[in-house]
Amino acid sequence: ALVSLSFSGALGLTFLLLGCALEQFGVYWPLFVLIFYVLSPLPHFIASRCSDNTDSSSNACRELAHFLTTGIVVSAFGLPIILARKEVVKWGACGLVMAGNGVIFLTILGFFLIFGGGDDFSWEQW
């Protein structure tokens, strides 16, 4: 599972870098989506620290974390579209960055689904 997650992360970053570094595109503005990759798991980490892990009832802190994460993910998909509409980047670069976004965010989701359980060795303990 860990090998497939690392492979898909490398594939997503390859799409992102191809959208920036190919000769016909040559603009590195789409690399700002890396900020969204770093920010997207932070609300979940904060919510898991400040809330109890009961699944029986709705938790406002956890729902706020889901809302903020959704906003971050939508912003990561919106940035290349805005850059392409303003003709800062070409539409081909926008497509490659969007493909990279999809792969990276699915990788982050897969990480939380695999390692998000409350077992003895969990990333939630950090």
Side-chain angles (χ1 to χ4, degrees):
L2 191 60
V3 173
S4 64
L5 285 175
S6 62
F7 176 75
S8 64
L11 182 68
L13 287 177
T14 301
F15 280 134
L16 175 65
L17 291 176
L18 282 175
C20 297
L22 284 178
E23 186 176 337
Q24 64 264 30
F25 304 137
V27 178
Y28 290 93
W29 287 107
L31 281 179
F32 279 107
V33 297
L34 289 172
I35 296 169
F36 297 117
Y37 298 161
V38 173
L39 290 179
S40 65
L42 291 181
H44 175 74
F45 287 142
I46 293 170
S48 66
R49 286 287 189 185
C50 72
S51 67
D52 55 349
N53 288 330
T54 59
D55 292 332
S56 62
S57 66
S58 177
N59 190 351
C61 185
R62 189 175 310 252
E63 289 181 12
L64 178 65
H66 290 301
F67 178 75
L68 292 175
T69 303
T70 303
I72 292 169
V73 171
V74 168
S75 298
F77 281 100
L79 178 67
I81 294 172
I82 290 172
L83 290 175
R85 295 250 321 146
K86 291 295 180 181
E87 297 177 358
V88 175
V89 299
K90 295 183 180 177
W91 282 102
C94 176
L96 284 170
V97 172
M98 298 280 273
N101 280 347
V103 172
I104 290 291
F105 285 123
L106 285 176
T107 303
I108 293 171
L109 176 66
F111 176 80
F112 281 113
L113 290 177
I114 292 172
F115 296 110
D119 55 349
D120 291 337
F121 181 74
S122 176
W123 297 105
E124 293 173 354
Q125 293 175 356
W126 292 17

